[in-house]
Amino acid sequence: SPAQPRRTCASRRACLVARFNFIYAKERLDAECVLRPCVCDMETVQRIIYVAVVESFRAAKMAFWKIKIGVKDTLALDHCGGAASLECAALDYIACHKDLYDVCCSVQEVICCMNKNPKLPCPGDVDYTAIEPLIRELCSLAFQMQTLTPPLDISFGVDGEVFNNTMYYRSCDSDFSACFVAYHIWPALMENGCVIVKGEVVTKK
């Protein structure tokens, strides 16, 4: 049935969105608890986790792009349809063969980028491998989100941007009269430029 692939994609999408929400509600807080003993303030803890999310999605998307090129080249040898059907076949193949993705490589790439990030504490002050389980989960999630049509992605936030009520919630310790974002706690989940799940920010004057 032509509707079957659409139902399958919708089901996977719902599961991945739910998984994104669970990471925010549970595993993010677990990571905060891990970092608190070695980081002096909560703002730094939240900044570390936000950067981990952004870098995890970046690394996973890059890995996905490289894998998809190889899969399409292989499938094209026996493929009889057009470019659109080859793209769908490649996405389905990657979604079914999760072992194609070396998540450990992405995790190490994320930690390396965090060690070089000037906005985060020096590697000697904080060992980012402490939140490796969170990074691994985020990389795996971000990779699977790329197999959807359209793919899901996260918003790109910049400190000092104007607060966007359609994209973010304010944290409970925010200044609710402030118009600008001091820093980001969690990104919004996006689909084709539309917000699927709101992120969280801290606003201050």
Side-chain angles (χ1 to χ4, degrees):
S1 169
Q4 183 61 35
R6 290 196 294 271
R7 287 197 296 268
T8 301
C9 188
S11 177
R12 284 200 296 115
R13 177 186 179 279
C15 289
L16 292 171
V17 172
R19 191 170 157 198
F20 182 82
N21 288 329
F22 180 80
I23 293 174
Y24 167 74
K26 174 68 168 62
E27 297 181 41
R28 172 182 66 92
L29 300 180
D30 291 344
E32 285 185 1
C33 292
V34 170
L35 290 170
R36 283 297 286 140
C38 54
V39 179
C40 58
D41 63 286
M42 182 54 76
E43 177 178 334
T44 303
V45 168
Q46 292 172 332
R47 284 182 180 274
I48 289 171
I49 292 173
Y50 180 78
V51 170
V53 180
V54 172
E55 291 296 343
S56 294
F57 268 77
R58 183 198 59 78
K61 287 190 294 181
M62 181 60 71
F64 179 85
W65 177 75
K66 291 177 180 177
I67 290 171
K68 188 174 76 168
I69 290 175
V71 168
K72 287 177 72 173
D73 286 346
T74 301
L75 294 179
L77 298 175
D78 300 312
H79 191 73
C80 299
S85 62
L86 177 60
E87 179 78 11
C88 290
L91 294 179
D92 289 342
Y93 186 90
I94 297 170
C96 294
H97 296 80
K98 295 181 175 65
D99 57 324
L100 290 171
Y101 179 39
D102 184 358
V103 68
C104 294
C105 183
S106 288
V107 169
Q108 292 308 310
E109 184 180 339
V110 171
I111 293 173
C112 181
C113 289
M114 293 178 71
N115 282 330
K116 297 176 182 177
N117 192 309
K119 292 186 177 181
L120 300 183
C122 296
D125 298 328
V126 180
D127 182 6
Y128 297 119
T129 60
I131 58 170
E132 187 174 316
L134 174 67
I135 296 171
R136 178 184 294 272
E137 189 69 15
L138 287 166
C139 287
S140 176
L141 173 66
F143 186 88
Q144 286 298 311
M145 283 181 168
Q146 304 316 300
T147 65
L148 298 174
T149 306
L152 298 181
D153 201 357
I154 56 172
S155 59
F156 179 74
V158 180
D159 291 353
E161 67 180 312
V162 176
F163 173 70
N164 184 340
N165 187 55
T166 62
M167 186 171 288
Y168 300 112
Y169 294 108
R170 298 177 196 258
S171 66
C172 59
D173 57 342
S174 289
D175 180 342
F176 280 71
S177 64
C179 299
F180 299 98
V181 173
Y183 63 94
H184 297 74
I185 294 176
W186 196 256
L189 187 63
M190 312 289 290
E191 181 183 59
N192 268 350
C194 298
V195 177
I196 302 302
V197 179
K198 281 187 177 185
E200 183 179 0
V201 298
V202 175
T203 55
K204 292 181 182 178
K205 287 185 178 178

